[in-house]
C-alpha cells in the first residue's frame, strides 16, 4: 500500500535557529495579502519568498514570482542559508499547542510518500480541487522542483506503534529544531538516520492507507509533475514521492475544528 522513504531534507542553517520564528510561515493558502507583506518585512530569509512570492506589475512570462523563487532558492543554497541533509532521514515532529487552557502535543513524522493516483485507493482524498490553485503550485514546482511545505496526511495506528518506536530517538537525540512560533506554539524536529528505524517504519506502512487532511492541490500537482517527467522519459526517481507530515488518527494531539465558510 503506502510507500514510505527517508529523504535528504532541506532546512535552514543552524546559524538561523534563533530566528526561526521570523522565517517560518503558516501554509500558503491561509496567508492574506497583508500577511504576505508582513512576512516579507520580517526577514530577508522568510520562506514566503519561496513558497508564496509576491506578484509584481512588471512581471513577464520570463520574470515572475516563480522565476524569482527559483533564483532565491539557488542563492540560499549557494550561500548556505539552506542546507541539505547529508544522509537520508525520517524526521520526528512534535507540535505543542494549547486549546481551552489545556496543552496538547501532536506527534508526527516527515518523510517521502510514494505518489499514487486516487483510484488506486492508497492515498484517500476528501475534497474536490480547483484548477487555479493547482496551476499556481504546478508552476512553482516546475521552476523549483522542491516541496517547500508538507502535505498533511493521516494514518491509522491504534496500537501507537510509530510513536512508541520513535521514543528511543527522541530520548537519545537532540532535536535539530526547537522553537516557538508567532502563535506561541512550540515545534520540535528530530532527524533520524538509523536504517533500522527506516526498516520498521517502511514495513509498518506497507499495509496502510494515507488520508489527506490538507494539501489536495499540492498532492495532485506533485502527481501531475511526476507524470510529466515520466512522459518525457526523463529521470523520475527523485519525483515519484512527495513530502508529507504524517499523523496518527488516534494521536491525542490531533484536534479537528470546523472551517467557517460562506
Amino acid at each position: 500500500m503506502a510507500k514510505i522513504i527517508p529523504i535528504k531534507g532541506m532546512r535552514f542553517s543552524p546559524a538561523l535557529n534563533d530566528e526561526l520564528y521570523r522565517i517560518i510561515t503558516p501554509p500558503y493558502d491561509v496567508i492574506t495579502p497583508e500577511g504576505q507583506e508582513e512576512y516579507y518585512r520580517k526577514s530577508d530569509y522568510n520562506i514566503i519568498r519561496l513558497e508564496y512570492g509576491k506578484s509584481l506589475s512588471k512581471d513577464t512570462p520570463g520574470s515572475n514570482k516563480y522565476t524569482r523563487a527559483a533564483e532565491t532558492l539557488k542563492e540560499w543554497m549557494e550561500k548556505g542559508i539552506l542546507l541539505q541533509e547529508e544522509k537520508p532521514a525520517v524526521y520526528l515532529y512534535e507540535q505543542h499547542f494549547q486549546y481551552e487552557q489545556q496543552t496538547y502535543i501532536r506527534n508526527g513524522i516527515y518523510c517521502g510518500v510514494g505518489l499514487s493516483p486516487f483510484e488506486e485507493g492508497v492515498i484517500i482524498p476528501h475534497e474536490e480541487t480547483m484548477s487555479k490553485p493547482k496551476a499556481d503550485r504546478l508552476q512553482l514546482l516546475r521552476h523549483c522542483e522542491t516541496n517547500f511545505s508538507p502535505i498533511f496526511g493521516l494514518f491509522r495506528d491504534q496500537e501507537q506503534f510509530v510513536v512508541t518506536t520513535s521514543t528511543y530517538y527522541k530520548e537519545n537525540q537532540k532535536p535539530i529544531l526547537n522553537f516557538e512560533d508567532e502563535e506561541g506554539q512550540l515545534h520540535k524536529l528530530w532527524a533520524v538516520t538509523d536504517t533500522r528505524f527506516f526498516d520498521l517504519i517502511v514495513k509498518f506502512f506497507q499495509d496502510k492507507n494515507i488520508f489527506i487532511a490538507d494539501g489536495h492541490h499540492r498532492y495532485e500537482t506533485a502527481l501531475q509533475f511526476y507524470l510529466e517527467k515520466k512522459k518525457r522519459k526523463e529521470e523520475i526517481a527523485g519525483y515519484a514521492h512527495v513530502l508529507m507530515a504524517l499523523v496518527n488518527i488516534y494521536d491525542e494531539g490531533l484536534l479537528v475544528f470546523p472551517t467557517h465558510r460562506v
Side-chain angles (χ1 to χ4, degrees):
M1 290 289 234
K3 298 177 182 178
I4 305 298
I5 63 167
I7 57 173
K8 289 186 177 180
M10 185 186 300
R11 53 190 171 94
F12 283 103
S13 165
L16 292 171
N17 277 357
D18 291 339
E19 299 294 316
L20 286 174
Y21 70 98
R22 297 182 186 275
I23 59 183
I24 301 298
T25 72
Y28 80 99
D29 54 357
V30 301
I31 297 175
T32 63
E34 295 76 18
Q36 186 184 48
E37 290 289 346
E38 178 61 24
Y39 290 123
Y40 263 84
R41 286 192 293 268
K42 277 190 172 185
S43 172
D44 290 339
Y45 303 123
N46 191 285
I47 194 70
I48 195 78
R49 299 169 190 274
L50 303 179
E51 171 75 341
Y52 191 43
K54 290 190 294 186
S55 295
L56 305 177
S57 59
K58 62 180 180 179
D59 282 351
T60 66
S63 178
N64 49 60
K65 62 181 181 180
Y66 308 114
T67 61
R68 286 191 290 274
E71 292 164 359
T72 300
L73 174 62
K74 181 181 178 182
E75 177 187 345
W76 288 2
M77 292 293 290
E78 290 175 348
K79 290 184 175 179
I81 302 301
L82 285 175
L83 305 173
Q84 190 161 29
E85 215 73 60
E86 294 182 2
K87 297 180 180 180
V90 169
Y91 297 83
L92 309 180
Y93 173 61
E94 285 184 2
Q95 177 186 8
H96 299 234
F97 63 98
Q98 288 193 330
Y99 174 64
E100 293 188 343
Q101 300 180 333
Q102 181 176 344
T103 299
Y104 293 85
I105 301 176
R106 179 181 297 165
N107 294 278
I109 63 171
Y110 284 79
C111 58
V113 176
L115 291 162
S116 171
F118 292 144
E119 56 266 27
E120 292 181 355
V122 177
I123 310 296
I124 312 297
H126 74 267
E127 68 178 39
E128 294 182 357
T129 54
M130 297 177 288
S131 58
K132 187 175 180 180
K134 286 192 288 188
D136 167 61
R137 294 296 94 182
L138 183 57
Q139 284 298 323
L140 185 63
L141 195 52
R142 284 171 174 166
H143 282 80
C144 299
E145 300 197 352
T146 305
N147 297 145
F148 293 125
S149 60
I151 292 163
F152 186 6
L154 305 175
F155 62 94
R156 289 193 176 104
D157 181 12
Q158 198 161 7
E159 303 301 321
Q160 303 290 334
F161 174 81
V162 173
V163 71
T164 301
T165 308
S166 303
T167 299
Y168 170 82
Y169 300 95
K170 289 183 180 181
E171 292 178 347
N172 291 276
Q173 287 187 200
K174 184 178 179 181
I176 58 172
L177 296 180
N178 186 354
F179 73 100
E180 192 174 283
D181 67 17
E182 60 188 6
E183 296 181 358
Q185 298 181 19
L186 179 65
H187 302 267
K188 294 183 178 183
L189 195 73
W190 293 260
V192 179
T193 58
D194 187 349
T195 56
R196 294 171 297 180
F197 180 69
F198 300 165
D199 292 341
L200 291 171
I201 295 298
V202 169
K203 184 177 180 180
F204 169 82
F205 277 97
Q206 282 178 347
D207 64 348
K208 296 292 184 293
N209 299 103
I210 292 176
F211 304 84
I212 298 179
D214 188 47
H216 290 76
H217 293 87
R218 281 172 289 146
Y219 182 85
E220 290 186 24
T221 297
L223 180 59
Q224 181 179 344
F225 186 59
Y226 165 66
L227 294 176
E228 287 180 358
K229 291 279 188 181
K230 190 174 182 179
K231 186 177 181 179
R232 292 196 295 265
K233 297 183 179 180
E234 297 179 13
E235 174 58 47
I236 60 173
Y239 303 93
H241 298 78
V242 67
L243 176 65
M244 280 200 185
L246 302 177
V247 175
N248 181 12
I249 287 174
Y250 300 99
D251 190 271
E252 292 183 357
L254 184 64
L255 305 186
V256 181
F257 301 101
T259 297
H260 301 288
R261 290 176 174 162
V262 176

